[in-house]
Amino acid sequence: MKNMKHLGILLSLLFLLGTFTGCSSITVSSDGNEEKSFEFIISSNQPDTHPTVVALKEFAKELVEKSQGTMKATVYSSGVLGSDRETLELVQFGAVDMVSTGVSTIESYEKMYSLFSVPYLFNDKSHYYQVMDSEYMRDEVFQKTAELGFVVKTWFDAGARSFYTKDTPISEPSDLNGLKMRTLASPTLMEMVSLMGGNPTPLDWGEVYGALQQGVIDGLENNELALTVNKHAEVAKEFSNTRHLFAPDVLIVNTNTLNKLTDNQRAILDEAFHELSLNQRELWEEEIEKAIQEAKEQGVNFTDPDMQAFIDSVKPMHEQVAKEYPEFIDLINRLGNE
């Protein structure tokens, strides 16, 4: 009921603003032909300083130039249009054109996306990039939700996720015993934390800072950027580089929005999406280095545990996904051995 009320309020607001999905008008292109123009709404729960939002805003500027004014976009950051799950519903319904969100948000719509919450699936960042840029991801996995009203059009680097806590160093899985560790509302991530010995505690992202500060949770798993962009370094002082997960963020797009475009506009948009992803990755690398240095200056202690014990603790998850998704695991193994 709460979600439906929220959806109704947002739909009313978007109607009043005149910015309902893919809002269009007629524009005369440079060759003198008439072509519909579109104004897209893009949502992100990250703040303006986050690399993904910075890249999205650059994408919006360049899209106008690349399309000769027939495509424009407005980026709404900091979750002003709702939580990840709420804005995904808005995209599915057609009230928002695009949303940048963590890949686990789609798990409840397409189970295969839960694979990206399986720890230690990739050997390293290079292996992870190879898989994410593969034709199989683009042509198969990213299209699986098309019948539900949305598809993934590109992906963003969200770093390697590791454990960090208020004041407890994590050197081996047993150090997680009894600790309340915040996770996304992902059954896969919750299983991972349980297998490693922790107590998985799903919690909305906006509540994490206060929960750490008040001791409602002992820690969580995320990347280094969360320490600075989300100010967690103020209340969490132990960061363990377990690097257990490379889980991308994705840009989800309403299928009706795409279907309204001409072939030329879709080609322009696809090229812009590709450049957006590459740009975001560069920005991410730059910001991660800055974040680590800034967090250290705020008193965060970074440690490098022996990861083999963590890898061994989640072997049951690897055995299960190998049975359920042999084609995908074969791809991962093949690219990992190249």
Side-chain angles (χ1 to χ4, degrees):
M1 184 64 70
K2 180 181 178 181
N3 285 346
M4 290 302 295
K5 182 178 180 181
H6 179 87
L7 178 62
I9 292 172
L10 280 173
L11 289 177
S12 298
L13 175 61
L14 292 168
F15 270 122
L16 287 172
L17 291 173
T19 54
F20 199 70
T21 182
C23 181
S24 64
S25 59
I26 301 296
T27 297
V28 179
S29 62
S30 59
D31 59 9
N33 295 321
E34 287 189 351
E35 192 173 41
K36 283 187 177 181
S37 64
F38 295 88
E39 298 184 16
F40 307 129
I41 301 171
I42 307 176
S43 175
S44 171
N45 74 344
Q46 298 291 355
D48 286 338
T49 55
H50 192 278
T52 299
V53 176
V54 173
L56 283 169
K57 291 193 173 184
E58 290 181 10
F59 159 82
K61 291 178 182 178
E62 293 175 4
L63 187 61
V64 176
E65 181 178 347
K66 289 178 180 294
S67 68
Q68 298 181 352
T70 70
M71 290 186 287
K72 301 177 182 179
T74 302
V75 180
Y76 293 87
S77 58
S78 302
V80 296
L81 296 184
S83 68
D84 282 344
R85 194 165 300 277
E86 289 166 340
T87 47
L88 178 53
E89 290 174 0
L90 291 173
V91 170
Q92 185 181 24
F93 186 80
V96 171
D97 297 290
M98 310 177 195
V99 60
S100 168
T101 183
V103 70
S104 63
T105 308
I106 328 176
E107 278 190 37
S108 60
Y109 294 89
E110 170 51 54
K111 188 180 178 183
M112 192 168 186
Y113 283 106
S114 66
L115 286 170
F116 296 98
S117 296
V118 175
Y120 301 109
L121 197 63
F122 306 105
N123 299 336
D124 50 31
K125 185 174 73 172
S126 176
H127 183 205
Y128 161 60
Y129 273 29
Q130 282 184 290
V131 173
M132 292 307 302
D133 284 332
S134 68
E135 291 184 3
Y136 182 78
M137 288 299 302
R138 184 189 67 218
D139 299 336
E140 296 291 334
V141 180
F142 287 172
Q143 305 303 315
K144 283 186 174 292
T145 55
E147 292 184 358
L148 300 176
F150 62 87
V151 292
V152 171
K153 290 302 292 182
T154 195
W155 68 278
F156 303 124
D157 194 343
R161 297 176 77 97
S162 294
F163 290 114
Y164 59 94
T165 67
K166 191 171 183 179
D167 52 19
T168 305
I170 306 298
S171 300
E172 56 187 37
S174 62
D175 292 329
L176 290 167
N177 289 345
L179 296 187
K180 299 185 292 295
M181 301 297 291
R182 181 267 179 183
T183 69
L184 292 162
S186 159
T188 313
L189 284 175
M190 294 172 69
E191 180 183 3
M192 175 195 76
V193 171
S194 293
L195 286 172
M196 291 182 178
N199 180 12
T201 308
L203 196 66
D204 286 343
W205 186 241
E207 300 176 23
V208 170
Y209 183 99
L212 273 170
Q213 189 177 44
Q214 298 163 22
V216 174
I217 58 173
D218 298 297
L220 61 150
E221 51 88 41
N222 212 308
N223 58 69
E224 299 92 336
L225 208 61
L227 293 172
T228 54
V229 171
N230 303 102
K231 303 185 185 302
H232 291 176
E234 296 176 355
V235 288
K237 299 302 182 180
E238 292 290 340
F239 192 101
S240 176
N241 286 307
T242 52
R243 301 178 69 81
H244 52 263
L245 205 64
F246 288 97
D249 285 352
V250 290
L251 187 67
I252 300 169
V253 184
N254 175 270
T255 52
N256 286 335
T257 294
L258 297 172
N259 292 337
K260 291 175 184 177
L261 304 176
T262 65
D263 290 343
N264 179 56
Q265 287 173 322
R266 278 195 292 271
I268 291 170
L269 196 58
D270 283 343
E271 180 185 357
F273 283 146
H274 178 65
E275 292 179 4
L276 164 64
S277 180
L278 295 179
N279 184 34
Q280 189 273 347
R281 296 180 219 179
E282 290 184 8
L283 292 169
W284 182 271
E285 286 298 319
E286 294 171 4
E287 291 303 313
I288 282 293
E289 292 301 320
K290 293 178 185 177
I292 293 173
Q293 184 58 40
E294 184 180 336
K296 287 180 177 178
E297 291 171 358
Q298 294 183 62
V300 177
N301 180 42
F302 287 82
T303 56
D304 295 302
D306 180 359
M307 290 191 288
Q308 191 57 51
F310 292 93
I311 294 171
D312 291 343
S313 70
V314 296
K315 279 185 177 178
M317 299 181 75
H318 285 209
E319 293 168 357
Q320 184 61 34
V321 297
K323 293 178 182 178
E324 292 186 27
Y325 302 100
E327 184 178 4
F328 186 67
I329 298 304
D330 285 347
L331 170 73
I332 288 176
N333 291 337
R334 175 169 55 80
L335 292 177
N337 292 324
E338 289 183 352

